[in-house]
Amino acid sequence: MTPVGLPHILLLSTALFFIGMFGFFTRRNLITMLMSLELMLNSVNINFVAFNKYLYPQNLSGVFFVIFIITIAAAEAAVAIAIIINLFRSSDSIDVTDAEEMKF
Amino acid sequence: MGLELLFTLKHELLISLSIFLLLFIFVGSNHTKGATIIHIVNALLLISVFFFLFEPKQSFVFNQMFESNGLIQFQKSILSLGLLLISALSFQWLKHHKNVIEFYLLLLSSLLGMFFMISAANMLFFYLGLELATIPLAAAANFDLEKRKSGEAAMKLIYSSAFSSALLLLGISFVYGLTGSLNFTEISEKIPVNALSQFAFILVFSGFAFKMSVVPFHLWTADVYEGAPVPVTAFLSVVSKAAISFVFVQVLFKVFIHLELSYTISLAVVSICTMLLGNLFAMRQENIKRFLAFSSIAQVGYILIALMGSHEVAQSAIIYFLLVYVFSNLAAFGVIGIISNSLGKENISDYKGFYQQNKFLSWALAIALFSLAGVPPTAGFFGKFFLILAAASKGYYLLIVIAALNMIISFYYYLRIVRNIFMETSENPMPQVLVQPITKVALIVCLIGMIVLGLYGPVYEYIAAFAKPF
């Protein structure tokens, strides 16, 4: 059995990133879109940790970057959910297709 | 060392001080009047504007993560000036608003994030600054809590900015995988030219393109500009765009210097689309905020053209252009904000016969539009002239011709509004609007800036003296 190498992990993270992107483009529920965004950010985290472990084990800058990405993703989600709640109050729906007051 | 740190971080420390002042002294005490708070913050911002004259020297702090030099401090002063003008122009709206403290907290945090972003010499620091600059802006876009449009605008802003950060981060992670470093200079030394590095560049570029509203990624711009309150729209379109452009110049010329061929091609394609689409959509807009959104998209196209030129010329041309753009766009937004706040009118057709009752505001708006269009005596002409000169420094004459044709198209829609103001007469024109003294001062500063910057040469020379070889 071959050990797990960098290509395996990169394949996983790329798949996750594009699953997230697919979800972001196709889902209509704002909360689910937020979850898809988190999936994309977490796939980037996997990338950073894998590069750090396999290619540059002498310093930890990749791992530090991951900690900051997690923190900021939490902050982003907090603001986004607050905005969703406010939108729900005014339009009674969290469907993104209902947010269509402004169009070309 | 301690004193040096203080001088290097003077802009950031002052803005942090203002935030703490607002948080600890004014939050919770309902006795302070809105006007007092506005005057205090304005005074602090005014100090920040003049900080660039004071000890502007090259220095690095935080383990090479934070860079400061004369040019960066000048850029920070431009951004402070932008926020100061916005705050003065929207005095009438802010004075009676019950959440005036929150407004300043959000915009000052965003400004602080922009300062860190401009000074960043490291990808981690740059990312932190970028997020600190964008997340408060989404909250600020939702400032009219009871209006549905405002919530919709905030939703569109936060989702598109989060999506663009994800693209940017994927690009940064590939750059890290290729070079093993997050430091800008180390990356530029080590980055190879291959398929992966070009893919990483495209990802980082699209992340920036989202925030600068370059054409394939511009769809959020018009909706957010229309829905957000006018001062927030002004901040988004002027200060935020200027900050991102400053950083884009740094990242492009410092980090991706060895990928010059691929970035020139992508810039050429994207800039043509941006100018063309921005101009064509601006022609058919009826809402004046939406119209300014598309006109600002078109202006970004001209900036991208300059980016293709040789580095020092491009950098000084872009900074000069953005300085002019701060004055002219803020004057336009200032007048629109006053009208929108006191009469609630935001359509271009409402401006018919505007000159009949509001002489001063008409002249301010007209001169701002002339400057945005680039009519010679105003500074806007020289801003665009230097941008085109920068592109000419490497001989992209075809692009210059396209840019010039686009400027002719843009004359049509800018002058259409000027015609509405002066030449059309209306049965019931807008009544005379009361302009607060501080707002009048800010408008006059904008007008002086638009005219003097064009006629007084040393300003450009001052900027060009800073531009260093990359």
Side-chain angles (χ1 to χ4, degrees):
Chain A
M1 194 179 133
T2 51
V4 178
L6 184 60
H8 297 88
I9 297 179
L10 288 187
L11 207 65
L12 168 75
S13 77
T14 313
L16 269 182
F17 189 87
F18 286 100
I19 291 169
M21 199 187 260
F22 182 75
F24 185 73
F25 287 146
T26 52
R27 290 291 167 157
R28 289 286 158 260
N29 185 308
L30 284 171
I31 304 280
T32 325
M33 284 170 74
L34 202 63
M35 283 156 64
S36 311
L37 272 174
E38 295 291 314
L39 208 59
M40 289 167 77
L41 289 174
N42 283 331
S43 85
V44 174
N45 288 346
I46 295 174
N47 249 355
F48 268 112
V49 174
F51 282 134
N52 199 341
K53 170 136 184 1
Y54 285 93
L55 297 179
Y56 312 104
Q58 66 275 14
N59 61 26
L60 284 175
S61 45
V63 176
F64 288 144
F65 210 123
V66 169
I67 296 171
F68 282 102
I69 294 175
I70 293 171
T71 319
I72 286 178
E76 211 152 38
V79 174
I81 287 172
I83 289 169
I84 294 171
I85 291 172
N86 191 47
L87 203 62
F88 182 73
R89 278 199 190 130
S90 61
S91 65
D92 266 336
S93 148
I94 53 167
D95 195 324
V96 72
T97 44
D98 287 341
E100 49 162 21
E101 203 152 285
M102 294 172 290
K103 269 187 188 168
F104 281 118
Chain B
M1 183 59 210
L3 208 61
E4 197 188 323
L5 195 67
L6 198 71
F7 283 136
T8 311
L9 292 169
K10 54 184 181 279
H11 280 99
E12 288 78 10
L13 286 173
L14 189 72
I15 299 297
S16 313
L17 183 79
S18 327
I19 293 173
F20 275 95
L21 203 70
L22 288 175
L23 266 180
F24 289 118
I25 298 180
F26 296 125
V27 169
S29 72
N30 291 325
H31 312 298
T32 331
K33 271 197 195 154
T36 323
I37 296 170
I38 297 171
H39 289 314
I40 291 172
V41 177
N42 281 355
L44 287 169
L45 280 170
L46 190 63
I47 298 171
S48 172
V49 170
F50 288 104
F51 260 175
F52 75 97
L53 295 167
F54 186 59
E55 286 263 333
K57 61 180 182 195
Q58 178 88 27
S59 53
F60 285 93
V61 290
F62 301 148
N63 194 13
Q64 311 285 314
M65 277 189 174
F66 185 97
E67 185 190 2
S68 178
N69 58 36
L71 190 65
I72 286 175
Q73 299 202 354
F74 186 66
Q75 293 173 347
K76 285 177 187 168
S77 291
I78 295 179
L79 300 183
S80 311
L81 175 72
L83 184 54
L84 174 64
L85 287 175
I86 290 170
S87 141
L89 288 170
S90 47
F91 183 74
Q92 175 79 33
W93 179 73
L94 280 172
K95 198 174 63 170
H96 299 296
H97 206 290
K98 64 180 190 300
N99 295 328
V100 59
I101 296 174
E102 282 88 336
F103 179 80
Y104 279 115
L105 280 178
L106 290 170
L107 290 198
L108 285 172
S109 326
S110 177
L111 191 68
L112 186 65
M114 284 165 196
F115 287 176
F116 280 123
M117 179 168 79
I118 288 173
S119 279
N122 183 301
M123 282 294 185
L124 176 56
F125 216 76
F126 159 67
Y127 172 66
L128 289 177
L130 183 72
E131 291 297 322
L132 182 55
T134 46
I135 294 176
L137 272 183
N142 204 351
F143 211 66
D144 282 337
L145 277 176
E146 64 287 350
K147 277 193 195 154
R148 188 170 155 202
K149 267 188 182 180
S150 186
E152 203 181 310
M155 185 271 286
K156 283 172 179 166
L157 180 59
I158 189 110
Y159 275 87
S160 54
S161 81
F163 181 72
S164 73
S165 322
L167 290 180
L168 185 79
L169 278 174
L170 190 67
I172 293 176
S173 81
F174 285 138
V175 169
Y176 175 69
L178 283 164
T179 60
S181 168
L182 293 171
N183 192 301
F184 282 179
T185 37
E186 272 182 53
I187 290 174
S188 70
E189 285 160 8
K190 288 183 190 161
I191 196 163
V193 182
N194 57 22
L196 185 57
S197 70
Q198 280 167 354
F199 182 53
F201 166 70
I202 295 288
L203 286 169
V204 173
F205 182 76
S206 36
F208 273 105
F210 253 110
K211 314 233 159 165
M212 281 170 82
S213 58
V214 170
V215 149
F217 310 105
H218 68 291
L219 290 165
W220 60 275
T221 319
D223 290 2
V224 172
Y225 283 19
E226 188 187 341
V230 181
V232 179
T233 310
F235 191 82
L236 265 170
S237 90
V238 176
V239 183
S240 168
K241 195 159 279 183
I244 294 279
S245 310
F246 291 149
V247 184
F248 192 46
V249 174
Q250 296 273 330
V251 170
L252 208 58
F253 292 168
K254 231 188 229 171
V255 183
F256 292 108
I257 183 98
H258 295 304
L259 298 170
E260 189 152 6
L261 182 67
S262 48
Y263 83 60
T264 310
I265 295 170
S266 33
L267 278 176
V269 173
V270 156
S271 66
I272 292 173
C273 297
T274 308
M275 288 185 297
L276 214 60
L277 253 86
N279 277 327
L280 292 181
F281 274 98
M283 278 201 269
R284 59 184 286 264
Q285 297 306 322
E286 286 306 318
N287 183 303
I288 198 156
K289 277 158 82 186
R290 253 185 126 76
F291 156 77
L292 277 176
F294 281 104
S295 101
S296 82
I297 291 175
Q299 309 269 358
V300 169
Y302 307 133
I303 295 178
L304 292 181
I305 280 198
L307 274 172
M308 284 183 281
S310 65
H311 297 168
E312 297 97 80
V313 186
Q315 193 181 32
S316 39
I318 287 170
I319 293 169
Y320 179 78
F321 176 78
L322 285 169
L323 179 60
V324 175
Y325 181 71
V326 165
F327 287 121
S328 24
N329 222 5
L330 282 184
F333 270 116
V335 176
I336 291 164
I338 294 165
I339 298 301
S340 159
N341 178 47
S342 46
L343 303 174
K345 290 184 175 170
E346 288 186 351
N347 281 334
I348 291 177
S349 51
D350 294 334
Y351 281 82
K352 272 184 189 157
F354 186 47
Y355 185 66
Q356 286 163 275
Q357 301 285 337
N358 302 287
K359 302 267 191 283
F360 175 69
L361 288 181
S362 304
W363 279 112
L365 185 57
I367 292 174
L369 290 171
F370 276 131
S371 182
L372 283 172
V375 177
T378 56
F381 169 74
F382 295 98
K384 281 185 180 162
F385 178 69
F386 287 129
L387 287 183
I388 282 186
L389 217 58
S393 68
K394 282 212 176 157
Y396 297 110
Y397 296 114
L398 184 65
L399 279 170
I400 293 174
V401 171
I402 295 173
L405 288 176
N406 270 296
M407 284 174 197
I408 295 170
I409 300 176
S410 75
F411 272 116
Y412 163 71
Y413 57 78
Y414 286 122
L415 299 187
R416 186 170 65 122
I417 298 179
V418 177
R419 183 173 152 249
N420 263 353
I421 295 172
F422 287 102
M423 293 180 180
E424 304 264 334
T425 44
S426 171
E427 295 290 302
N428 45 349
M430 284 196 224
Q432 190 166 17
V433 176
L434 182 75
V435 184
Q436 297 283 332
I438 182 168
T439 310
K440 208 163 208 167
V441 170
L443 275 175
I444 289 170
V445 168
C446 288
L447 292 179
I448 291 173
M450 277 185 277
I451 290 162
V452 168
L453 276 180
L455 300 176
Y456 185 65
V459 181
Y460 182 74
E461 282 162 23
Y462 180 82
I463 298 169
F466 281 125
K468 56 187 187 306
F470 281 89

